[in-house]
Each structure stands twice: as C-alpha cells, then as structure tokens.
Amino acid sequence: MGVLEHKFQDNIVVASVDKLLSWARSTSPWYFQFGLACCAIEMMATAASRHDLERIGMMPRSSPRQADVMIVSGTVTLKMGLRVKRLYEQMADPKYVIAMGSCATSGGPYWKYGYHVLKGVDLVVPVDVYIPGCPPRPEALLDGLLKLQEKIRHERPLTRKTGT
C-alpha cells in the first residue's frame, strides 16, 4: 500500500444522497439582506468581523436571484410588504425566510396604533425562523441562522412529495 493510499483510506463517506445534499445546502446558504430599520444595524454587526457570518458558511448576496435565505429585519409597512413579496418570489427554490426583530415578527411597538404597519412579515411570505428582540443581538441572529441550518439539514430534497 502506497503512502497516498494509506493516507486517504479512511476518507470514505457512506450516506444517502438526500443526506449529502441536505448537508451541502445547510453549510453554505447565501443570504439576501432586507434591512428596514434598527434591526438592520444588528444584522450588519453580525456580518462584521466580531461575529463573522462567513465562518458558518453564510455569504451575503445583493440579488434575490442568487440567494437562498431572506433576512427581513425591521418594520415592514403595508407598502413595503408588496416589495418583500416580489423579492421573495424572485428567489430560486428552495428558499427560506428569517423574521428578525419584534417588528418583522409581529409589528413591534407600532402594531396597535400604526395603521400602516404590517402585523408580521408572515402575512406576505412564509417564515421559517423567528428571532425575537427589539433589536435582537447579533448572537440571537447567529442562533437563528444555526437553527435554520439544522432545519435544512433535516430536509430530504429528493424524497419530498410534490403536489398537495
């Protein structure tokens, strides 16, 4: 047995194609930033050098057509809700949404008296992970992203049922 053959003999992965695809998709999601208010500053801090989203495989994209994950952070007004939906529809499947902050999840402090505020972004797009807080800390966003990666890891893209 040669030196190279001995070195690589233990590097064999045995798993289903579903598990391998889910693992590959979960370790490299590209996110589309949709920062609308003060939560966007915390989202930017999470991507900065102290927390560094790229160490968990997250890469920012400026186009929804290249992104897997949309992070909605901040107050979504009724007028902006139409734009959020349009950008969500431009994303390729599979696509995921994270609602960051109390304004994106439930309308925040503006929900009661603000006629123009959407009472949660889940009214226009399906949300996969909710991150509470006003504004949530970068650690909370990191935790939400890790939960999303875990959710993606448990999906089975080849064996999922189509139709209703």
Side-chain angles (χ1 to χ4, degrees):
M1 184 179 279
V3 175
L4 286 178
E5 293 165 351
H6 179 68
K7 185 176 181 181
F8 294 112
Q9 82 181 24
D10 294 332
N11 293 334
I12 297 173
V13 177
V14 178
S16 68
V17 177
D18 264 342
K19 283 188 177 183
L20 289 173
L21 284 174
S22 296
W23 172 79
R25 285 181 33 232
S26 72
T27 56
S28 62
W30 292 1
Y31 64 95
F32 175 62
Q33 309 167 67
F34 204 81
L36 296 167
C38 48
C39 291
I41 295 169
E42 297 295 327
M43 182 175 56
M44 288 183 270
T46 310
S49 60
R50 178 176 216 150
H51 299 284
D52 193 18
L53 283 178
E54 289 188 11
R55 73 184 153 114
I56 62 169
M58 300 292 292
M59 185 174 150
R61 302 305 302 167
S62 58
S63 169
R65 291 177 182 89
Q66 300 171 342
D68 305 313
V69 180
M70 175 189 274
I71 302 174
V72 181
S73 59
T75 310
V76 182
T77 60
L78 295 175
K79 188 185 281 188
M80 190 57 72
L82 299 173
R83 277 84 176 162
V84 171
K85 185 174 182 173
R86 182 180 303 146
L87 289 170
Y88 175 79
E89 290 170 351
Q90 290 177 2
M91 293 171 65
D93 284 330
K95 50 191 168 188
Y96 307 95
V97 177
I98 294 177
M100 179 182 174
S102 63
C103 290
T105 59
S106 65
Y110 312 108
W111 74 271
K112 191 170 184 180
Y113 301 109
Y115 64 92
H116 63 291
V117 175
L118 195 63
K119 311 301 186 242
V121 74
D122 56 352
L123 295 175
V124 290
V125 294
V127 175
D128 296 292
V129 176
Y130 294 93
I131 301 171
C134 186
R137 300 270 311 140
E139 294 86 3
L141 178 57
L142 276 173
D143 185 54
L145 291 168
L146 291 174
K147 297 244 189 293
L148 179 65
Q149 284 183 339
E150 189 67 29
K151 180 179 181 175
I152 295 170
R153 199 172 294 121
H154 289 298
E155 287 182 354
R156 300 290 171 247
L158 297 179
T159 58
R160 75 174 150 208
K161 300 189 188 266
T162 57
T164 53

